[in-house]
Amino acid sequence: MSPVRRCSRTACGRPAVATLTYVYADSTAVLGPLATYAEPHCYDLCSEHSERLTAPRGWEVVRLATDTGSARPSGDDLEALANAVREAARPPDRGHGGARDIDPREVARRGHLRVLRSPES
């Protein structure tokens, strides 16, 4: 199976860039950005077919803004991701008496679970 979704139109092999959905109750065809996953009652369209889309007489076509640019992350996105990974890898700061002070009865910790000393010891 190809990782790129293709246009739903017969004999069109171009990559899909928009998703078409019909709202029958409102007699409306909604053309928006490519959905995150393929749904059975929606149609994926290439740029050419999405531009030439027409609806039946009496129907309205609603065109939502589609991003035709590259979906690649920008340099700022990559830098923010790297900073988040560094922050998550940093050991917790236990020396400043923050809101999460260590309980003196605490023996060990694994995730959200704590092992406490028995009150008798």
Side-chain angles (χ1 to χ4, degrees):
M1 182 193 240
S2 173
V4 176
R5 294 198 340 235
R6 301 287 176 194
C7 183
S8 297
R9 296 291 303 258
T10 305
C12 181
R14 291 185 290 267
V17 297
T19 298
L20 172 65
T21 307
Y22 291 107
V23 182
Y24 294 98
D26 297 332
S27 299
T28 304
V30 180
L31 184 67
L34 188 63
T36 54
Y37 56 91
E39 295 191 28
H41 301 290
C42 296
Y43 302 93
D44 296 334
L45 299 176
C46 65
S47 60
E48 182 180 332
H49 286 120
S50 64
E51 290 171 7
R52 296 187 316 168
L53 175 75
T54 60
R57 184 175 297 157
W59 281 59
E60 180 183 0
V61 177
V62 175
R63 294 179 187 270
L64 303 175
T66 57
D67 181 21
T68 57
S70 175
R72 298 184 51 85
S74 70
D76 291 339
D77 293 339
L78 294 175
E79 186 175 347
L81 179 60
N83 290 338
V85 169
R86 282 188 206 105
E87 183 67 30
R90 185 176 299 150
D93 187 14
R94 300 184 185 261
H96 297 310
R100 294 181 57 186
D101 287 338
I102 298 175
D103 188 342
R105 297 175 295 161
E106 185 175 321
V107 176
R109 176 182 287 260
R110 178 167 283 177
H112 67 282
L113 302 175
R114 300 184 307 162
V115 177
L116 301 177
R117 287 192 194 99
S118 172
E120 295 88 36
S121 46

